Amino acid sequence: MKLLIRENKVLLLIVALAVLVSFVAIGGRISVESQNKTYDIVLDYNEVEAMAKQSDHDVSWWLEEFKGMGITKVGLAEENMVSLMENTDMPVSAEIMYQIMKEADWEAKYPEGFIEELKDNGFDEYDVLIEAASKEAFDFVTNAVSDRYQAEKYFAYESDNGGLIVLDGTAKETLYTEKYKYMSSISKKGFTEKDEIISSKLMYLNLGILPSKLDIVKAAGMDIIPRTASYEGWNDADYERAVINSYKKMGVAPEYMIVGGESIIGYDDGIDTVKNYLEENNVTLGLIENTTQRQNILQFGVDETVKKTGYDAVRIFSVWDYIQNRYQYYGYEGAKEIENTLFRAVVERNIRLIYYKPIKEFRDQHVYVTDPEEYRTMFSNLEERLNEHGIQFGDKASVMDDYQVSRILKLAIAYGCVAAAILLLQTIFPMRRRVKLSLLVLGALGASGAFLVLPSYAELITSFAAAVIFPCLAIAYIVKQSREYTEQLDKETPLVKLAGLGIATLFIGIAISVIGGIMTAAPISSINYLLEIDIFRGVKAAQLLPLAFFAAAYLAYYGFGGSKKHPGSLEYLDLRDMMNASIKVWMVLLGSCLLILGYYYISRTGNESSVEVSNLEMLFRNMLEDHLIARPRNKEFLFAFPSVMMFVYVSVRRFKLWPILFGLAAVIGMTSPANTFMHIRSPLYLGLARTGYSLLFGIFIGIVGIIVFEIGHRLYKKLERQTF
């Protein structure tokens, strides 16, 4: 150790300074996270209305019930032609002209005056024809259209009892069916392929909030959060002003703006007006989390507006339909799994606003749970569990401060990564002092240039570099240490001493990996990452590269077949011996098994995993989550951390093959703690608690594993002696 320090004083000093700088950057982030402790809930009116129809009570009664549970805000979506036709009694209908014009005598179904006006204005198959069968319905639609949209985009024809409105559509706004085939009786390939015009985005143009719904919410004494959806080509500054004026006319002063449709209001003409509206009225903009729980839904202008308003934004968890169905899920009696889902969203992903939709029966997309006690129990339990993390249910969701990690700090961390990379190379390729200094200078110049020219990419590369280099350093440490124990200790070293050495090796390896995790998180701890506007890139690569490094490190210290004469240097002979080895059947089978396990491991990594977690594992996770501050990772404490201890044990005992198997599993244990800190949206204390629990449980399982392995080995040797 003394020799290592003496030969690498400069590199170690730079790494130490970079670690200190990382803690400074992390400290700012912790301060921001500690202030973000209030969550809020908004009810979806349309879903509550649909549930009320299936119950013995009306919407007003249900709103009073939810209000009694502490919820005071209702998301009220503006109407469009689809919602008017499907969910209201308003006598209106709409259809795209393509469908209408299919009938040869379609013109005969409409007043002559209208047809003449239609021909004068011009029309095509992409237009939408709206029919209103009452004056009230005609006025509602025409007033909204004339207030919000350009005059050349529509024309209205009023009759004695209603009227007709034509919206000028284009092919770009038209909605088509998927391609399908016409089949003949003999052809297996199909006669022809085609798709068909089925509808138009214009059917979803927002027309305002129905006064009847507005009155119900106001009578309940609840606040209205209007939901306005906007679409390209119909979303200019006039539309934006009309929408904002409609809010004012209704007396609605929303605390949040939850954007619907493709973009924020007015985006066709920029974001200045909506930005001013948000700032002047203290409205917080919502970022709706994706269904994959990774980043936010892409809506044009939203991220840009968030940045312009100084990040006055809150992440929103929408209760998607597949979550509504998690009633009596995993065998629970009530809505426990929905409660778990909401809990994880708030605690682990910086969500502070829940857009809530009522529960539906298990595996039934249409039937709601109409027992209010289920909702009362779920919200009460959720509040109690969140309180344990210091998160309170409040009048308005908290917003994180606009925290930015300075470029100087990020550059210092990059220098630390360069120094750490040289230390890592040295673990398998011994270098002279002059070479190391040359590499250091080149690396520092490269890092400086990257932050000067491409600062956004440079911070991501720095973060990725730390996520790979430090776990590799941890791997190099446990491989080197295990090899040294092999040389220094007798094969029959007592089990207690081996367990102690295994624990010490595990502890130091994790410490190196956690330092890497801190340096991974530090450059990307700014507010844009905390809100998941930007994310860490390269999670799977950060898992794979340490596996490749382990192969090199193992050869450098153990050699192929354990024949290494000069540990600590990857030599040509190591590679030659490996390449010239005779491949036996068991090696092929073992390699195949390892490849399958490796594929499974990588597939399970990340939020968009292609491998579904089993019900049994989910129940186990939930049990841990219920009793601990943070759920430890199963892979860490069940096999990866114990494998580090087993690696030391089987190395000292001179077992063949086992060191490489436990070493491979141990690689996961060295990469996983750093991986924990790649999830920037998760508060840091959770990552530290998660790793701490894993270490504690992993040590226990590691000790048990060593004892079981020792007993098994002795029994095997006894049987072997009796047999021969």
Side-chain angles (χ1 to χ4, degrees):
M1 180 61 77
K2 289 181 180 177
L3 180 65
L4 173 75
I5 295 173
R6 189 168 62 246
E7 290 184 348
N8 299 285
K9 283 187 289 189
V10 175
L11 295 175
L12 289 170
L13 180 62
I14 293 172
V15 172
L17 289 174
V19 173
L20 287 176
V21 166
S22 297
F23 277 106
V24 171
I26 289 295
R29 170 180 160 185
I30 291 173
S31 174
V32 169
E33 289 174 342
S34 66
Q35 302 300 316
N36 188 30
K37 293 292 186 181
T38 307
Y39 74 100
D40 197 1
I41 300 173
V42 175
L43 285 176
D44 183 287
Y45 180 93
N46 287 341
E47 292 269 354
V48 174
E49 184 182 50
M51 176 179 66
K53 288 176 182 175
Q54 295 178 13
S55 73
D56 296 330
H57 306 284
D58 60 14
V59 182
S60 298
W61 186 89
W62 276 103
L63 292 181
E64 287 292 342
E65 284 294 304
F66 282 116
K67 191 178 176 185
M69 299 173 205
I71 302 172
T72 59
K73 299 180 185 69
V74 178
L76 198 48
E78 294 202 18
E79 303 298 333
N80 54 53
M81 287 312 303
V82 175
S83 68
L84 288 175
M85 288 189 291
E86 294 181 354
N87 304 323
T88 73
D89 297 328
M90 188 175 283
V92 293
S93 64
E95 196 165 11
I96 192 162
M97 287 298 292
Y98 171 83
Q99 296 289 346
I100 294 171
M101 292 159 60
K102 278 183 174 178
E103 295 187 30
D105 62 341
W106 69 272
E107 291 185 14
K109 296 181 179 178
Y110 300 97
E112 288 183 9
F114 168 72
I115 294 297
E116 287 176 9
E117 206 166 326
L118 181 67
K119 290 179 178 177
D120 289 343
N121 281 281
F123 69 97
D124 55 39
E125 61 186 6
Y126 306 121
D127 296 344
V128 169
L129 176 58
I130 300 168
E131 294 187 56
S134 74
K135 188 172 188 316
E136 181 191 11
F138 181 77
D139 288 345
F140 179 80
V141 176
T142 51
N143 288 341
V145 170
S146 61
D147 281 348
R148 298 183 170 205
Y149 306 113
Q150 298 168 19
E152 62 269 22
K153 284 182 173 286
Y154 72 93
F155 85 89
Y157 177 87
E158 188 170 6
S159 61
D160 294 339
N161 192 26
L164 299 158
I165 304 105
V166 177
L167 302 178
D168 183 16
T170 66
K172 195 173 181 181
E173 292 148 347
T174 301
L175 302 175
Y176 301 84
T177 63
E178 284 192 11
K179 289 254 184 197
Y180 56 91
K181 291 179 179 179
Y182 283 170
M183 307 291 291
S184 70
S185 59
I186 57 172
S187 172
K188 293 183 180 177
K189 295 182 179 178
F191 175 74
T192 186
E193 266 192 351
K194 68 173 296 184
D195 54 17
E196 193 173 4
I197 292 174
I198 194 69
S199 186
S200 169
K201 289 182 185 176
L202 305 189
M203 302 280 277
Y204 296 88
L205 289 181
N206 275 201
L207 304 170
I209 291 174
L210 274 182
S212 57
K213 292 182 179 179
L214 188 73
D215 293 341
I216 289 173
V217 180
K218 283 187 172 179
M222 301 177 83
D223 298 329
I224 294 168
I225 307 298
R227 298 293 314 275
T228 302
S230 309
Y231 298 93
E232 183 183 4
W234 299 75
N235 187 21
D236 59 10
D238 290 338
Y239 169 80
E240 182 180 24
R241 281 189 283 272
V243 169
I244 291 172
N245 285 335
S246 71
Y247 294 169
K248 292 176 180 174
K249 283 180 185 175
M250 291 184 293
V252 172
E255 292 191 67
Y256 313 107
M257 177 176 282
I258 306 175
V259 174
E262 296 174 342
S263 55
I264 198 165
I265 56 173
Y267 182 69
D268 288 357
D269 287 337
I271 62 167
D272 289 341
T273 304
V274 71
K275 170 192 163 285
N276 293 336
Y277 170 75
L278 295 173
E279 289 179 336
E280 290 167 5
N281 295 277
N282 195 26
V283 181
T284 299
L285 186 54
L287 293 162
I288 306 170
E289 186 184 58
N290 264 317
T291 55
T292 58
Q293 298 178 3
R294 180 182 168 87
Q295 289 197 282
N296 309 304
I297 291 176
L298 176 61
Q299 293 171 302
F300 298 113
V302 172
D303 289 354
E304 192 179 346
T305 308
V306 167
K307 292 173 184 174
K308 284 284 183 71
T309 57
Y311 293 91
D312 184 6
V314 62
R315 295 199 76 216
I316 300 173
F317 179 77
S318 179
V319 178
W320 304 104
D321 53 359
Y322 73 92
I323 293 170
Q324 287 179 276
N325 277 137
R326 287 184 173 176
Y327 181 66
Q328 297 179 335
Y329 209 60
Y330 298 137
Y332 291 125
E333 287 189 359
K336 173 71 175 174
E337 186 52 24
I338 298 177
E339 173 196 316
N340 288 338
T341 307
L342 301 180
F343 172 78
R344 284 191 286 268
V346 175
V347 168
E348 298 183 358
R349 305 200 297 273
N350 275 337
I351 298 286
R352 288 298 180 269
L353 184 61
I354 296 171
Y355 193 75
Y356 189 76
K357 298 168 189 168
I359 308 165
K360 289 180 178 174
E361 296 281 355
F362 181 50
R363 292 181 179 171
D364 192 321
Q365 285 291 335
H366 305 286
V367 179
Y368 290 92
V369 173
T370 55
D371 180 359
E373 283 307 313
E374 292 286 1
Y375 296 93
R376 213 180 320 276
T377 301
M378 186 191 68
F379 285 123
S380 174
N381 290 343
L382 176 67
E383 186 173 356
E384 188 177 330
R385 291 173 66 186
L386 290 174
N387 283 344
E388 292 175 3
H389 286 260
I391 301 174
Q392 314 294 325
F393 183 27
D395 292 334
K396 186 168 183 179
S398 53
V399 172
M400 287 185 281
D401 290 340
D402 180 5
Y403 175 63
Q404 300 289 337
V405 179
S406 78
R407 192 176 296 187
I408 295 294
L409 294 185
K410 288 184 273 194
L411 185 58
I413 296 168
Y415 291 159
C417 288
V418 170
I422 297 168
L423 287 173
L424 178 64
L425 284 174
Q426 193 181 232
T427 60
I428 57 175
F429 298 117
M431 287 181 274
R432 296 182 179 217
R433 185 168 177 273
R434 184 178 301 172
V435 175
K436 287 186 282 187
L437 287 176
S438 299
L439 288 174
L440 179 63
V441 171
L442 287 173
L445 287 174
S448 303
F451 272 99
L452 187 65
V453 180
L454 297 167
S456 297
Y457 287 105
E459 67 188 18
L460 284 172
I461 292 169
T462 301
S463 178
F464 178 78
V468 173
I469 293 168
F470 283 86
C472 287
L473 278 172
I475 292 164
Y477 170 76
I478 62 171
V479 172
K480 178 176 181 292
Q481 204 61 44
S482 298
R483 174 64 188 192
E484 286 180 1
Y485 289 147
T486 305
E487 293 181 350
Q488 295 167 2
L489 299 176
D490 184 78
K491 184 180 176 183
E492 301 301 326
T493 299
L495 212 57
V496 174
K497 184 172 183 179
L498 288 182
L501 293 173
I503 292 170
T505 306
L506 171 64
F507 188 84
I508 294 173
I510 290 176
I512 296 171
S513 182
V514 168
I515 286 172
I518 297 294
M519 289 185 66
T520 298
I524 53 174
S525 285
S526 299
I527 185 68
N528 48 317
Y529 290 95
L530 297 177
L531 289 172
E532 288 241 308
I533 293 172
D534 297 306
I535 59 170
F536 176 88
R537 304 282 179 182
V539 173
K540 291 188 188 301
Q543 307 295 312
L544 284 172
L545 291 174
L547 283 168
F549 176 78
F550 170 75
Y554 191 86
L555 280 176
Y557 286 90
Y558 284 80
F560 186 75
S563 58
K564 188 74 177 177
K565 293 180 181 176
H566 306 291
S569 175
L570 183 60
E571 300 168 300
Y572 167 74
L573 291 176
D574 302 322
L575 300 173
R576 189 198 64 183
D577 292 346
M578 185 179 70
M579 298 300 289
N580 291 334
S582 300
I583 305 298
K584 297 183 173 58
V585 174
W586 68 266
M587 291 181 177
V588 174
L589 293 174
L590 179 61
S592 301
C593 290
L594 291 175
L595 281 175
I596 292 170
L597 287 173
Y599 174 77
Y600 178 75
Y601 166 61
I602 293 300
S603 299
R604 284 283 303 265
T605 303
N607 288 324
E608 296 172 32
S609 170
S610 56
V611 180
E612 191 172 346
V613 179
S614 69
N615 289 0
L616 189 63
E617 185 177 348
M618 283 305 302
L619 286 169
F620 183 57
R621 287 184 179 187
N622 290 344
M623 185 269 292
L624 293 173
E625 197 173 76
D626 279 343
H627 294 89
L628 303 172
I629 295 173
R631 176 182 61 79
R633 294 183 185 278
N634 292 349
K635 63 184 177 186
E636 288 180 354
F637 74 88
L638 287 178
F639 72 95
F641 287 0
S643 291
V644 176
M645 297 170 62
M646 295 296 294
F647 185 40
V648 173
Y649 163 75
V650 295
S651 294
V652 175
R653 287 282 189 263
R654 278 59 157 186
F655 291 143
K656 293 182 179 178
L657 186 64
W658 288 106
I660 195 167
L661 295 178
F662 284 119
L664 278 170
V667 171
I668 297 171
M670 297 300 100
T671 56
S672 186
N675 175 271
T676 297
F677 294 93
M678 297 173 197
H679 301 89
I680 303 301
R681 64 195 182 180
S682 297
L684 276 169
Y685 78 93
L686 284 182
L688 293 171
R690 201 185 299 281
T691 304
Y693 284 127
S694 291
L695 178 61
L696 192 64
F697 298 158
I699 288 173
F700 174 74
I701 293 174
I703 292 171
V704 171
I706 288 174
I707 293 172
V708 169
F709 205 96
E710 179 79 359
I711 293 172
H713 177 67
R714 288 183 179 181
L715 286 174
Y716 171 76
K717 298 303 286 185
K718 186 177 180 181
L719 286 173
E720 192 178 47
R721 285 195 296 272
Q722 289 175 349
T723 303
F724 299 102

